[in-house]
Amino acid sequence: NAGVIQTPRHKVTGKGQEATLWCEPISGHSAVFWYRQTIVQGLEFLTYFRNQAPIDDSGMPKERFSAQMPNQSHSTLKIQSTQPQDSAVYLCASSYSWDSSYEQYFGPGTRLTVL
Amino acid sequence: GEQVEQRPPHLSVREGDSAVITCTYTDPNSYYFFWYKQEPGASLQLLMKVFSSTEINEGQGFTVLLNKKDKRLSLNLTAAHPGDSAAYFCAVRDNNAGAKLTFGGGTRLTVRP
């Protein structure tokens, strides 16, 4: 089992450019979560998919951020017109079930740097 | 919403000493509790999950105590060694299916030889 895979591991964009981050959950896992980690804000929930359907996006900034899960093997987080404050490590996690008792397993993260 | 306070933010101990990290939370509906370890440059590694009202769980070199009455969760690394040096995060989750994790602010532990 390769664990949760995230690509790229590092991404540098210029202010105003678009960034797309990819996540491949653990095979057989039905829930996918996205989190953001910064020194100042710590670990923050962004959004969550259950069986590819978006369930909770309460943590997503209303503008510029969007997430999709077109099939069970990958999810994407897209940031349009990136800003320096978007610089963070973006973490994807997957869980075998959406039941709250199940653990979330995290990928290595994508470090996004916006210049 | 749920708020999780984790203390201390930084902790330095000598090898062989114990290290205690504590989290307090606000939402009485929080039901599942997790501890994660994050080594420099690495992702979050699950250490343990607890969910009973008062529970002591023992893992490899550590003990987790949950007290729901006081809304307090603690991680005690017994006989810490340099390999324990990392950031530790508590996380809580309520019983709603698929609920997000709410994390504490983290504790950066340094174990000195």
Side-chain angles (χ1 to χ4, degrees), chain A residues 12-86:
Chain A
V12 180
T13 66
K15 182 178 174 181
Q17 293 183 326
E18 181 177 287
T20 299
L21 313 180
W22 295 72
C23 170
E24 180 179 332
I26 294 171
S27 178
H29 282 197
S30 59
V32 172
F33 300 79
W34 284 94
Y35 295 85
R36 176 168 64 180
Q37 185 176 25
T38 62
I39 298 294
V40 174
Q41 299 293 332
L43 282 151
E44 302 174 287
F45 167 78
L46 293 176
T47 189
Y48 150 59
F49 294 86
R50 179 199 304 172
N51 282 338
Q52 303 168 228
I55 301 298
D56 181 359
D57 67 353
S58 59
M60 291 277 274
K62 296 308 176 190
E63 298 179 353
R64 303 186 297 106
F65 282 63
S66 62
Q68 293 183 323
M69 191 162 184
N71 56 60
Q72 65 184 9
S73 64
H74 89 272
S75 174
T76 58
L77 179 67
K78 182 181 293 186
I79 309 172
Q80 295 178 311
S81 185
T82 54
Q83 303 297 309
Q85 62 265 29
D86 299 332

